[in-house]
Amino acid sequence: MPIEADNLVKRYGDLTAVDRVSLRVADGEIFGLTGPDGAGKSSLFRMLTTLVRPDEGSGRVAGFDIRTDYLEIRKRIGYMPDVFSLYEDLSVRENLHFFARVFGVRVKENYHLIREVYEPLKPFERRRAGKLSGGMKQKLALACALIHQPEALFLDEPTTGVDAVSRKEFWDILYRIRARGVAILVATPYMDEAARCDRLGLMQDGRLMVQGAPQELIAQYPHHLYAFRAHQAYRYLELLRRHPRVHRAVLAGEAVHVSSLAPLDPEDMRQYLREAGIMDFAFEPAAPDIEDVFIALVDQQQPQTQEA
Amino acid sequence: MNPTTTITVRELTKKFGPFTAVDHITFDVHAGEVFGFLGANGAGKTTAIRILTGLLLPTSGEARVAGFDVYRQPEQIKRHIGYMSQKFSLYQDLTPLENIRFFGGIYGLSVRTIRRKSEELMHRLGMEAMADRLVGTLPLGWKQKLAFSLALIHEPRIVFLDEPTSGVDPLTRRTFWEMIRTEADKGTTMFVTTHYMDEAEYCDRVSIMVHGRIAALDTPRGLKERFGASHMEEVFLQLTRGGNA
């Protein structure tokens, strides 16, 4: 296994940033981590990339121990941190050659590894990296992380703040890198990207609440979900919440997603809504998405938590 | 100007040297509307928003925001709009109360009004217990609610929300959209940018900028029908694919 984490723990003072996280990423697999800022994703990345030492637990990357063999690991991984970390006042080309030289490889010999990422940057090779658009910075950072043919790639929110087109292109490239057998651990705040991973872990408060293929996670949705649709559906959120068997009612685009701990009879609910004077609406069972799963899991793990 | 129109834009254009960042855009936004302003990176969104918030003069065309002219009355515009972005909205090393007092003061509210608003806000947000903590130590969801409330403290007719939900958990994100909808229902215009395509579905109307122009403007449903798409992301990709260098 190119990436293995066993009960990794990282504490900063009183805060447990990462709380006994275990995961495996296989060759040619994309493992996604999703969760809010502060969930512990970046701390987990920093332990696996040997930048900080875990307080407890163990990890192996490319077959080496993250505590003792950090020099070996660093040669064999590519890492895109959560902030842009190239040299802003070097050109596109200078950055690429710098990283190649640090890793003792030649751009020419390894160019095939980065062709699809780097080709769109070619017309801008002389531009300073700091002057690139968000989508292009992200491509350059990926090229620099790939030039030494790493066995494992660590991508910490590579697409945050990047538009949907560039994100789609980025994922097309990730699939091609996966096809070469590279293990990829990628953090993302976008649920559409989370759904594109082979396996996915949902993180909150330092803990990996659940992991599995996106479809498996959706199949494990623990509550019952319904969609309420009406003109200005949001106006009926409080009404839906007042129903004793409704657990949560949250906006989901134009609709309201209504969840319950036990199955609801849609006809009873329709009756309840009609009695409240709503005439033109639909109330039907709905298929949960990754966000619904995330919300339900947080509920299960912290039943006392107030909504923040 | 129609009495319910809060933003009027006609042939608005901004050039930087030979580069046309905003190219003859025209649209209206109404009171109580949640208006999604989307586009690829580099499509001209940020430039357009800077003009509409009174930070940048256009090269040509017209725009009125909250009844004020972008050429002649940028200071009036700044006073009559609210602004919130995920990146910079609150002072992290002040408490929530200090932040309220600071922003209230900036907008010229009286001491008495600020005191009343402080109590009202802390109560409505359920933040009384956190009144004396530094904002930097609060969970992101609370910060976001507070930042949104501060953008509204001077009761502006329009609030610009620049990627307001990045980095928060899904429940906080959905709860936040509920706040946006509730506030819009009171008649405030919500002008929102986001890279989350599913969030476009929360908007009454969505405009999509490509190469400085408005390539499409309609309700989410109208856009999906026109492009034969089931999600806004497909609409966005069809309009902008190949459109960003």
Side-chain angles (χ1 to χ4, degrees), chain B residues 16 26 34 36 63-66 77 90 98 107 162 173 185 188 213 218 227 234 242:
Chain B
F16 295 104
T26 293
V34 180
R64 293 182 76 80
V65 177
I77 290 176
L90 296 171
E98 287 165 343
Y107 284 113
D162 193 3
R173 202 149 75 83
D185 243 19
T188 315
R213 293 175 159 272
D218 201 346
F227 289 88
E234 289 171 55

Side-chain angles (χ1 to χ4, degrees), chain A residues 36-37 161-167 190-192 196 234-235 237 241 248 251 253-254 289 291-292 294 308, chain B residues 40-41 142 167-174 177-178 181 185 195-196 201-202 221 233 236-237 240 244:
Chain A
D37 288 358
V162 173
D163 68 68
V165 180
S166 300
R167 295 204 279 120
Y190 298 100
M191 295 291 159
D192 56 330
R196 288 179 183 150
Y234 55 88
R235 292 192 169 171
L237 278 162
R241 285 173 187 151
R248 267 194 194 286
L251 273 184
E254 286 185 298
D289 59 22
E291 287 205 346
D292 294 305
F294 197 105
Chain B
N41 298 122
W142 290 105
V168 303
D169 68 85
L171 182 59
T172 304
R173 202 149 75 83
R174 292 185 181 191
W177 273 96
E178 190 178 334
R181 285 261 47 138
D185 243 19
H195 286 307
Y196 292 91
E201 313 261 355
Y202 294 95
R221 189 174 298 182
E233 187 180 9
F236 188 85
L237 291 177
T240 57
N244 66 320

Side-chain angles (χ1 to χ4, degrees), chain A residues 77-267:
Chain A
I77 62 170
Y79 175 41
M80 263 177 83
D82 56 344
V83 288
F84 184 67
S85 304
L86 303 183
Y87 293 94
E88 303 229 351
D89 44 7
L90 292 186
S91 70
V92 167
R93 189 188 152 82
E94 286 165 341
N95 266 292
L96 182 64
H97 282 263
F98 173 81
F99 280 91
R101 210 166 307 159
V102 164
F103 285 108
V105 298
R106 298 173 74 104
V107 170
K108 212 172 182 178
E109 282 160 20
N110 281 4
Y111 191 71
H112 64 283
L113 297 170
I114 61 163
R115 184 184 308 277
E116 66 252 20
V117 199
Y118 195 72
E119 256 344 88
L121 291 165
K122 273 251 156 159
F124 310 100
E125 273 202 306
R126 290 172 180 279
R127 193 178 287 187
R128 285 186 190 188
K131 298 280 182 197
L132 295 174
S133 72
M136 304 232 280
K137 277 184 181 169
Q138 159 223 55
K139 287 195 178 89
L140 178 59
L142 184 59
C144 292
L146 280 172
I147 190 66
H148 58 295
Q149 199 166 5
E151 295 166 43
L153 256 188
F154 294 87
L155 309 175
D156 191 358
E157 299 211 3
T159 58
T160 294
V162 173
D163 68 68
V165 180
S166 300
R167 295 204 279 120
K168 174 82 169 51
E169 288 169 2
F170 192 82
W171 275 82
D172 289 342
I173 291 167
L174 280 194
Y175 285 146
R176 274 178 253 150
I177 297 168
R178 176 181 67 179
R180 297 205 293 257
V182 178
I184 303 173
L185 183 66
V186 57
T188 177
Y190 298 100
M191 295 291 159
D192 56 330
E193 293 187 352
R196 288 179 183 150
C197 300
D198 298 312
R199 282 191 305 131
L200 177 65
L202 306 186
M203 272 191 95
Q204 171 97 344
D205 296 333
R207 282 173 303 155
L208 192 54
M209 296 188 293
V210 69
Q211 55 181 308
Q215 284 312 314
E216 283 168 28
L217 300 190
I218 288 170
Q220 290 168 20
Y221 180 70
H223 301 157
H224 301 269
L225 192 73
Y226 305 84
F228 167 78
R229 287 171 211 283
H231 179 58
Q232 297 177 320
Y234 55 88
R235 292 192 169 171
Y236 307 109
L237 278 162
E238 287 307 326
L239 175 70
L240 288 160
R241 285 173 187 151
R242 278 201 297 272
H243 190 281
R245 298 186 60 193
V246 166
H247 175 63
R248 267 194 194 286
V250 292
L251 273 184
E254 286 185 298
V256 171
H257 273 185
V258 177
S259 63
S260 60
L261 302 180
L264 294 174
D265 180 351
E267 197 39 53

